[in-house]
Amino acid sequence: MDQKLKGQTAIITGASSGIGSGVARALAAAGASVVVNYPTAATEAAASGVLEEIKGQGGAGIVYQCDVSKESEVVKMFADVVKQFGTVDILVNNAGLQRDASFHEMSLEQWNMVLGINLTGQFLCAREAIREFLRRGIVPARSKAAGKIICMSSVHEVIPWAGHANYAASKGGIMMMMKSIAQEYAPHKIRVNSIGPGAIKTPINHQAWDTPEAEKKLLELIPYNRVGVVEDIGAAAVWLASDDSDYVNGTTLFVDGGMTLYPGFSTNG
Ligand code: NAD
């Protein structure tokens, strides 16, 4: 692959599985040194496995434990990465989870956990990234931008989702946070965009595709008629992180096989 991100350092949160691991592999293949973030000791082995795979392909990076919902841990992660690599050029705000419940049965704990990781976690990481981008400024040999942030949103930043109000609210919140900070820091040549995945085969949604019946039902929502894979998101992340997308700022790139095209209307409603 073209080494479009050569010499740059990327932090990918929640990268021990699923989309985060795919993005870490893709950014590393494009030449970035990657920080494979994972939240707990229980996910350390998986993170190390992702890094080994990356190194086996000639890539470089480290693993780093940090719960993105904890301010002190996020501040320390950025400080340690800057100490080790000199700076951070790219943040992929990917960590996220679901705690599903009917709205009238949803506990405050389920609400707070999803908002705390999916939205506050993205706020904390983006804030530390922007502080570092402002400190360093543009290094023309590496990129036209002073820094790039990619927020992992979802089609559910625009599609309401019954039974998942906490998750949909977190993704809707990411959309307006992303646009607001893109507007605020564009004059500093900091680019902030989101990826809105549709259905991608990962542990978060395995019950939606791991039987032929479930997959067939899921495909009714996807005009392009295939379920996505993490490589689809990795390729989009490399483009959004590279200077190929230098004039793209404050937008959500839906990578969803057309899920946001109201497929229910495809036969004239
Ligand atoms: P996943 O469960 O494989 O990945 C989520 C990752 O986040 C895991 O590695 C987990 O360890 C990590 N994580 C959880 N809490 C954390 C914390 N406090 N700090 C740091 N890391 C933490 O699922 P995925 O599908 O790969 O999800 C990745 C992102 O993509 C999420 O933000 C999710 O909302 C989004 N997304 C996924 C899909 C899909 O179809 N898979 C669709 C739309 C959006």
Side-chain angles (χ1 to χ4, degrees), residues 8-256:
Q8 300 189 48
T9 300
I11 294 179
I12 304 100
T13 65
S16 60
S17 65
I19 288 173
S21 67
V23 168
R25 284 194 293 268
L27 297 187
S33 295
V34 292
V35 178
V36 177
N37 160 252
Y38 63 98
T40 58
T43 46
E44 181 172 8
S48 298
V50 172
L51 183 63
E52 283 319 303
E53 219 181 303
I54 285 169
K55 287 184 170 168
Q57 302 288 318
I62 58 167
V63 296
Y64 195 99
Q65 182 178 341
C66 162
D67 177 339
V68 297
S69 67
K70 306 249 167 70
E71 183 174 26
S72 59
E73 293 188 25
V74 171
V75 169
K76 186 169 181 332
M77 173 168 71
F78 275 81
D80 287 347
V81 170
V82 169
K83 202 185 289 170
Q84 181 162 350
F85 292 94
T87 190
V88 177
D89 303 276
I90 300 157
L91 166 67
V92 183
N93 249 338
N94 168 76
L97 46 65
Q98 292 176 214
R99 289 293 179 270
D100 308 329
S102 299
F103 190 72
H104 68 283
E105 288 169 344
M106 188 174 285
S107 66
L108 181 59
E109 191 190 353
Q110 287 171 316
W111 175 269
N112 282 340
M113 173 165 250
V114 171
L115 272 292
I117 293 170
N118 295 15
L119 184 56
T120 305
Q122 291 215 10
F123 154 68
L124 291 170
C125 292
R127 190 187 64 184
E128 292 315 301
I130 285 173
R131 287 175 175 171
E132 172 57 16
F133 300 161
L134 292 174
R135 181 196 69 77
R136 169 180 36 76
I138 299 171
V139 180
R142 285 212 299 273
S143 176
K144 291 176 182 165
K148 284 89 50 159
I149 296 175
I150 299 167
C151 300
M152 205 55 69
S153 182
S154 166
V155 292
H156 296 295
E157 73 171 42
V158 291
I159 302 178
W161 202 12
H164 309 258
N166 47 359
Y167 183 84
S170 75
K171 298 302 185 180
I174 287 168
M175 177 179 68
M176 287 310 291
M177 181 188 74
M178 177 276 290
K179 286 176 187 280
S180 299
I181 57 182
Q183 186 190 60
E184 190 168 347
Y185 294 98
H188 297 274
K189 295 284 181 284
I190 292 169
R191 293 195 296 115
V192 190
N193 293 287
S194 288
I195 294 174
I200 310 295
K201 289 187 175 181
T202 74
I204 211 173
N205 58 2
H206 64 92
Q207 75 294 343
W209 50 263
D210 64 5
T211 65
E213 303 75 53
E215 183 158 348
K216 189 162 176 271
K217 194 158 183 307
L218 180 59
L219 287 175
E220 290 171 12
L221 298 174
I222 309 172
Y224 204 60
N225 209 33
R226 79 167 166 86
V227 182
V229 291
V230 299
E231 288 75 14
D232 293 316
I233 307 300
V238 169
W239 183 70
L240 280 177
S242 78
D243 284 352
D244 286 349
S245 61
D246 187 55
Y247 207 48
V248 179
N249 197 17
T251 197
T252 298
L253 174 60
F254 288 106
V255 182
D256 68 350

